[in-house]
Amino acid sequence: MQISHLGIHESVEAVFPPEQLREELSALDPSVAVVGDRDALADCDALVTFAYRESFLDADLEWIHSIQAGYDRFPLSELEEAGIILTNSTGIHGTSVGETVLGTMLEIARRLHAFARQQAPHEWNRPDWDEPFTLQHEPICVVGLGTLGQGIAKRADAIGMHVTGVRRSAESVPHVRTVYANDDLHEAISDARFVALATPLTDETEGLMGEAEFDAMRDDAYFINVARGDCADQDALVAALRDGDIAGAALDVFEEEPLPEDSPLWDMDDVIVTPHAAAAEVDYYRHIAELVRENTLHIDADEELTNRVV
């Protein structure tokens, strides 16, 4: 495989300006250009993209790089049949997502989200004496211990939380005191004050958190989702929140995005809604550029590509 022309699809503007990435990659041997759905795509051997378009299959591409870790939007079997390599951006989001989760837990525990909502109407109300709490010694269960989950675990451990986790096997993970296998999910989440979902979306994880799982959680527990919206049953979550089966939630991903205006989640007092932005940071494009540069070197050396999915 030889890459002469690298395209940066305009859809990456959902995360950062495509021109930023083009400038960062300007020293590469392949020519680098920002391309859209209708222009110059046919001239590209490789493409860096946020979105997937059916036209990619017919563009004679050798390699597609997704700027996200998740690749559920890409038709893997069709790409494989077309001989197109797909790589993703797993491994770069541990810090940003970990800090986002830590931030939302601090908001909840210290009631900062409630104070923020009071500021616009100029309200001066202190919480009831038993509402605020500290995160030190509170138990958190991180479901999914890949890059995102380990980023969460590291930061939760650093402030003194009691960190447990769930993964396919019960092998130990840094900063996690106890690791449960997938089959022991209910036991793992039953005593946690916070349950943070950080799995990729697969056939096995679709609907992973549902009615039975929310029933298994403590009634003073909070659910955090930085995985994918379809990894949790949103109707079951709304019901659990309404019925007081759990205390609240911090949600960055949803079954439908943007979250519809009529969703009850918008108006629930102890629900924090963020617009699928947990991984957002000013250096995002630099992390993508590093992965792309690394893989162009692998291609030149006829070596296996980093983060190859297909």
Side-chain angles (χ1 to χ4, degrees), residues 188-203:
I189 65 178
S190 63
D191 192 42
R193 189 68 182 274
F194 293 91
V195 174
L197 185 60
T199 61
L201 176 60
T202 65
D203 290 342

Side-chain angles (χ1 to χ4, degrees), residues 131-284:
E131 284 186 26
F133 58 97
T134 62
L135 294 181
Q136 188 174 24
H137 306 309
E138 286 289 348
I140 175 176
C141 181
V142 183
V143 182
L145 288 170
T147 299
L148 302 188
Q150 291 187 43
I152 296 167
K154 179 179 180 179
R155 286 152 185 84
D157 183 41
I159 63 167
M161 298 184 76
H162 186 285
V163 185
T164 62
V166 179
R167 63 181 304 190
R168 289 181 181 177
S169 70
E171 296 177 8
S172 63
V173 174
H175 306 288
V176 181
R177 300 189 188 190
T178 304
V179 179
Y180 295 85
N182 286 349
D183 290 343
D184 299 320
L185 174 63
H186 286 198
E187 179 184 355
I189 65 178
S190 63
D191 192 42
R193 189 68 182 274
F194 293 91
V195 174
L197 185 60
T199 61
L201 176 60
T202 65
D203 290 342
E204 291 75 24
T205 62
E206 185 173 1
L208 179 64
M209 292 294 296
E211 181 179 356
E213 288 68 38
F214 294 124
D215 284 345
M217 291 172 59
R218 292 165 40 170
D219 60 10
D220 65 345
Y222 294 85
F223 174 62
I224 300 173
N225 192 358
V226 288
R228 283 289 188 271
D230 288 336
C231 292
D233 183 330
Q234 197 161 295
D235 289 340
L237 172 60
V238 169
L241 290 163
R242 279 178 168 165
D243 295 343
D245 295 332
I246 63 174
L251 309 170
D252 189 56
V253 290
F254 305 90
E255 290 178 346
E256 181 182 347
E257 297 180 3
L259 183 65
E261 290 185 10
D262 60 355
S263 171
L265 292 169
W266 285 112
D267 299 313
M268 291 183 165
D269 288 341
D270 271 337
V271 173
I272 297 172
V273 171
T274 52
H276 202 152
E281 58 160 311
V282 68
D283 289 325
Y284 197 122

Side-chain angles (χ1 to χ4, degrees), residues 10 124 194 202 299:
E10 61 187 3
W124 184 275
F194 293 91
T202 65
I299 289 170

